[in-house]
Amino acid sequence: MIRRSASSEVPTPARGACAEAGASAQPHVPVLLDEVLNTLATEGGLAVDGTFGAGGYTRALLTRDPALQVVAIDRDPGAIAAGRPLVAEFQGRLRLLPGRFGALDTLLAEADAPQVDRVVLDIGVSSMQLDVPERGFSFRNDGPLDMRMGADGPSAADLVNEADEAALADILYHYGEERRSRAVARAIHEARRRGRIETTAQLAELVAGVVRVEPGSHIHPATRTFQGLRIAVNDELGELVRALHAAERVLRPGGRLAVVTFHSLEDRIVKQFFAARSGRAAQSSRHLPGAPARTVSSFDLLTKGPLLPGEAEIARNPRARSAKLRAAQRTESDVPEPLTALTALASLPDAARGGHRR
């Protein structure tokens, strides 16, 4: 699988994608695959691929360890349908579960697999979603302004055409890291008075009229706007927070959790979660002001800092360039209370309580 971006880095659409401008459709390649496999170090048992996508990690796990069973989860009906040949190929060692990875503990319980040995999460949108114009994730080709990873809920077009101007500005600034968020929101608000904005090309052209990029930059002016809308439509950061806590609940002592992120918003959440759960967040921080001074260590870190792709992998797959892998091992400790303060990292600031709006 593959997913994406960062504020000070080159912004990208998500799960392993590079900046869309100038990028062509390319096969779905799992990012940091060797690092993920080595970190998980499977020896039989049950592994969960919480973000199945095209099945890159799942196939590699099943191939590397003939004694391993895998349960794979995806909210995208297309991914589940495309994965059925893989189920047949591995003859009873793979089960596919439709649903959101933030509810992986519930899904596993319903599948009679309440505890597992390994969990891998690859965060964001997949390449095959980006590369299909009808999904509406990309501005490379015109398509309906959809962006939904699943088949339910409001689309990006609904958000663009119905959210008030201030809410749009918040989404673009905090989720898209778009410095011109107010101007873009204002332009959208004015444009929709003349008619609904229904396609990716309409929105990309509108944003390009407001946002200017550095001379020589390969980043399309609409990259950050599309990122912000996509994250909001799919509640991606909220799903990540829920998935981390769910993985903590289902992992056996000694079980391992590996998380691949592609932009700073995702990585910050994973970093803070592991810091708090490994006892390294002894003091309250500006990111987790409500975290307790001392926490139960439910995880031991396996990576002191993030593992990054090497030059060779980036050359083979430019979409890997912003990827980061963090991993930890479950301890014998009971599951602590959820880190409610972590939810703040996934949410828009509340202006009524002093949040920062742009």
Side-chain angles (χ1 to χ4, degrees):
M1 293 169 217
I2 18 193
R3 328 213 173 187
R4 303 64 178 151
S5 153
S7 55
S8 59
E9 305 161 5
V10 176
T12 57
R15 215 198 294 176
C18 63
E20 289 190 286
S24 59
Q26 53 182 286
H28 192 70
V29 181
V31 171
L32 289 166
L33 179 59
D34 289 341
E35 292 82 354
V36 167
L37 294 177
N38 292 336
T39 299
L40 291 179
T42 58
E43 294 181 2
L46 177 63
V48 174
D49 183 347
T51 47
F52 177 69
Y57 291 135
T58 289
R59 175 182 288 279
L61 285 165
L62 290 166
T63 301
R64 177 162 172 158
D65 185 349
L68 187 69
Q69 301 278 325
V70 174
V71 172
I73 297 168
D74 207 293
R75 69 195 289 186
D76 188 337
I80 295 295
R84 287 175 187 141
L86 200 62
V87 174
E89 179 181 345
F90 285 97
Q91 301 180 353
R93 294 173 55 209
L94 170 63
R95 283 182 288 174
L96 294 180
L97 300 180
R100 296 174 180 244
F101 70 96
L104 66 86
D105 55 340
T106 302
L107 294 172
L108 290 169
E110 292 172 351
D112 196 27
Q115 282 205 307
V116 301
D117 302 282
R118 303 289 186 267
V119 176
V120 59
L121 305 174
D122 177 24
I123 309 306
V125 67
S126 68
S127 290
M128 68 269 196
Q129 290 169 332
L130 280 171
D131 294 336
V132 177
E134 292 76 17
R135 302 301 300 272
F137 286 100
S138 171
F139 41 74
R140 287 201 306 266
N141 300 294
D142 195 16
L145 191 58
D146 194 322
M147 299 192 191
R148 291 174 296 178
M149 292 179 180
D152 58 345
S155 68
D158 295 328
L159 188 59
V160 163
N161 288 288
E162 297 169 17
D164 65 47
E165 184 178 328
L168 275 175
D170 277 353
I171 288 169
L172 302 185
Y173 181 74
H174 292 285
Y175 291 158
E177 302 166 298
E178 173 54 69
R179 293 183 294 274
R180 296 273 292 158
S181 59
R182 283 181 176 175
V184 173
R186 189 178 307 116
I188 290 172
H189 183 71
E190 292 298 323
R192 71 192 190 189
R193 290 180 177 179
R194 300 187 292 272
R196 281 181 64 87
I197 301 168
E198 297 282 9
T199 70
T200 57
Q202 280 180 283
L203 180 60
E205 182 179 2
L206 180 65
V207 177
V210 177
V211 177
R212 299 289 180 263
V213 296
E214 301 270 338
S217 171
H218 298 296
I219 304 303
H220 190 282
T223 297
R224 293 182 174 89
T225 292
F226 272 62
Q227 173 182 297
L229 291 171
R230 192 204 76 235
I231 289 173
V233 164
N234 296 290
D235 188 22
E236 291 179 32
L237 302 183
E239 282 294 305
L240 174 56
V241 171
R242 291 187 287 274
L244 292 170
H245 286 102
E248 180 182 45
R249 289 191 289 270
V250 302
L251 279 168
R252 304 178 190 275
R256 294 186 172 195
L257 170 60
V259 188
V260 179
T261 61
F262 290 87
H263 60 67
S264 59
L265 301 177
E266 299 165 349
D267 182 60
R268 185 179 65 179
I269 288 173
V270 178
K271 179 181 178 180
Q272 294 295 326
F273 176 81
F274 280 151
R277 290 317 208 198
S278 64
R280 296 195 172 216
Q283 305 282 334
S284 293
S285 74
R286 65 187 179 91
H287 291 308
L288 286 176
R294 295 184 180 180
T295 58
V296 173
S297 295
S298 55
F299 281 100
D300 290 328
L301 299 183
L302 295 171
T303 54
K304 292 184 178 179
L307 298 182
L308 308 176
E311 293 181 3
E313 178 172 7
I314 294 172
R316 291 192 310 270
N317 178 21
R319 289 179 168 180
R321 69 173 177 262
S322 58
K324 294 180 179 179
L325 167 64
R326 296 183 188 271
Q329 182 166 297
R330 189 72 171 83
T331 68
E332 298 277 352
S333 298
D334 292 338
V335 177
E337 290 297 314
L339 284 164
T340 55
L342 199 68
T343 304
L345 299 182
S347 306
L348 295 173
D350 184 348
R353 290 183 288 179
H356 182 57
R357 302 186 82 150
R358 296 289 290 184

